[in-house]
Amino acid sequence: MIGWSRHYFADEDASFHYEVDDEGRVCRQVDLRGTDLRPLTAVIAYEKRFGVLAEGAASEEEVRACPGVEEISAGEFERVWTTAREHLERVA
């Protein structure tokens, strides 16, 4: 089953959003930073359109092992994903 989660790191003021596929691989990841939630990355594991994964992209085990990880809905992940992709395409 595909799942979605978010993890906030206060010391980095960064929020990481993950989509995990049926095989336990992180297939999409969005990293946001700051109070304005500025997109840093929005990556697709299969590198079809936007290039390589961000350095240090996490596995499902790494995501689940972090304290404070919370499950989010597919709709919430899609909103974050779409907003980040649009922003990154404009500034590229």
Side-chain angles (χ1 to χ4, degrees):
M1 180 174 150
I2 294 178
W4 302 270
S5 60
R6 170 182 49 226
H7 189 240
Y8 178 72
F9 292 91
D11 58 334
E12 297 179 35
D13 195 17
S15 179
F16 300 90
H17 298 73
Y18 304 99
E19 178 179 67
V20 177
D21 68 15
D22 289 335
E23 296 178 21
R25 296 177 300 212
V26 173
C27 53
R28 292 193 291 172
Q29 177 179 332
V30 179
D31 303 343
L32 307 174
R33 174 127 332 135
T35 56
D36 61 347
L37 299 176
R38 180 179 62 260
L40 298 176
T41 60
V43 293
I44 300 172
Y46 304 109
E47 304 173 5
K48 288 184 179 177
R49 182 170 174 201
F50 298 106
V52 299
L53 279 173
E55 184 178 329
S59 68
E60 178 186 20
E61 293 81 24
E62 292 168 323
V63 170
R64 303 256 180 241
C66 291
V69 171
E70 64 178 294
E71 297 295 317
I72 60 173
S73 69
E76 182 175 350
F77 182 89
E78 289 301 328
R79 282 189 298 280
V80 169
W81 175 260
T82 300
T83 301
R85 288 288 351 142
E86 290 171 354
H87 171 80
L88 293 170
E89 287 173 355
R90 280 193 310 270
V91 299

